[in-house]
Amino acid sequence: MLARWRAVNAGVRAAEQAADRPSGSVALLAVSKLHPAQAIRTLHAAGQIAFGENYVQEALDKMAELADLPLQWHLIGPLQSNKTQSVAAHFDWVHSVDRLKIAQRLSAQRPAELPPLQICLQVNIDDEDSKSGCALADLPALAEAVLALPHVRLRGLMAIPKPGNVAAHALLAKTASDLLARLPALAAQPFDTLSMGMSDDLTDAVAAGSTMVRIGTAIFGARPAPESD
Ligand SMILES: *Cc1c(COP(=O)(O)O)cnc(C)c1O
């Protein structure tokens, strides 16, 4: 696993260089869903801080087991309203906010002693059949409403393009810059994150401006099938 993690890091650096971007401008989120806490502990010892999880209860169990480590936890899977309270209390980032009700609950439930929850809005960039992600047309209104919430910081956009859709990365990047031009108040957040790029589309995503790639399989190997959350 450590050899794969090093190879993925080298791949991110190579993609930055190929895109003429500064070394270190793209963060690696290690997607640890369905992998054991011990694997996270091993990667942390090697220098990995940020971990992505999809299933709230599974993530809470791992957080409890790894409470001695200064890890940064990112929720990247779909979020139902009945889970927002534990997410607001325990995660550092949520990449999958796609409607106002969820953002409102996260803001209202974020404990006062914690820094604001860092969030990305998930955009449905190319999949009309998917229920995940805000439609492009609805994004400006959602972003404006989220900006007014006190305990979340709107850091950027996230997308999960269909495999092979290389145009999706550029579209997400353009969507983010259009949004910033339309809502100048976003710049204060700061609105600086493009969460895109997975094991198979890392290089394209970095070329298009990704600032955070979410990599699971290429680091940890194949996952067992999910249990219901
Ligand atoms: C599982 C998952 C990933 C990681 O996928 P791999 O193919 O294992 O790299 C990235 N992003 C999201 C939203 C995921 O659910």
Side-chain angles (χ1 to χ4, degrees):
M1 184 182 67
L2 281 177
R4 282 196 297 256
W5 175 75
R6 284 193 199 96
V8 169
N9 270 298
V12 174
R13 301 288 89 84
E16 289 169 341
Q17 199 169 22
D20 267 325
R21 296 182 53 192
S23 181
S25 53
V26 180
L28 172 59
L29 183 64
V31 177
S32 44
K33 62 180 176 212
L34 303 173
H35 293 289
Q38 187 54 45
I40 295 174
R41 191 174 286 283
T42 301
L43 277 193
H44 173 263
Q48 178 70 37
I49 301 291
F51 290 87
E53 292 279 341
N54 286 57
Y55 309 105
V56 174
Q57 188 55 51
E58 178 195 333
L60 297 177
D61 293 346
K62 288 179 195 170
M63 288 173 191
E65 206 174 325
L66 299 166
D68 56 311
L69 301 182
L71 301 175
Q72 192 183 78
W73 294 98
H74 295 238
L75 183 71
I76 61 174
L79 175 53
Q80 310 301 327
S81 351
N82 63 353
K83 300 273 171 62
T84 53
Q85 182 136 31
S86 31
V87 170
H90 295 284
F91 279 83
D92 302 292
W93 283 71
V94 178
H95 293 224
S96 46
V97 175
D98 61 1
R99 55 196 192 278
L100 183 57
K101 183 184 173 195
I102 295 289
Q104 284 169 331
R105 290 176 65 96
L106 290 171
S107 181
Q109 294 167 339
R110 182 69 167 171
E113 69 274 16
L114 294 181
L117 186 63
Q118 311 295 303
I119 66 173
C120 293
L121 298 179
Q122 183 176 349
V123 179
N124 186 341
I125 206 84
D126 64 359
D127 187 357
E128 282 110 51
D129 302 331
S130 162
K131 291 191 188 68
S132 295
C134 171
L136 280 171
D138 300 335
L139 187 62
L142 176 61
E144 194 165 15
V146 168
L147 260 178
L149 300 173
H151 304 297
V152 296
R153 284 279 178 282
L154 179 47
R155 295 293 301 272
L157 302 181
M158 180 271 230
I160 311 173
K162 284 181 174 167
N165 182 4
V166 290
H169 302 121
L171 178 57
L172 191 71
K174 180 175 186 307
T175 301
S177 57
D178 289 352
L179 201 56
L180 201 48
R182 186 162 168 165
L183 300 173
L186 268 181
Q189 296 291 295
F191 190 73
D192 57 1
T193 302
L194 274 180
S195 168
M196 60 182 185
M198 301 172 46
S199 295
D200 293 334
D201 62 346
L202 184 157
T203 305
D204 288 333
V206 169
S210 170
T211 66
M212 208 182 287
V213 292
R214 311 179 306 264
I215 311 288
T217 307
I219 296 173
F220 294 97
R223 281 183 287 275
E227 290 167 36
S228 63
D229 188 25

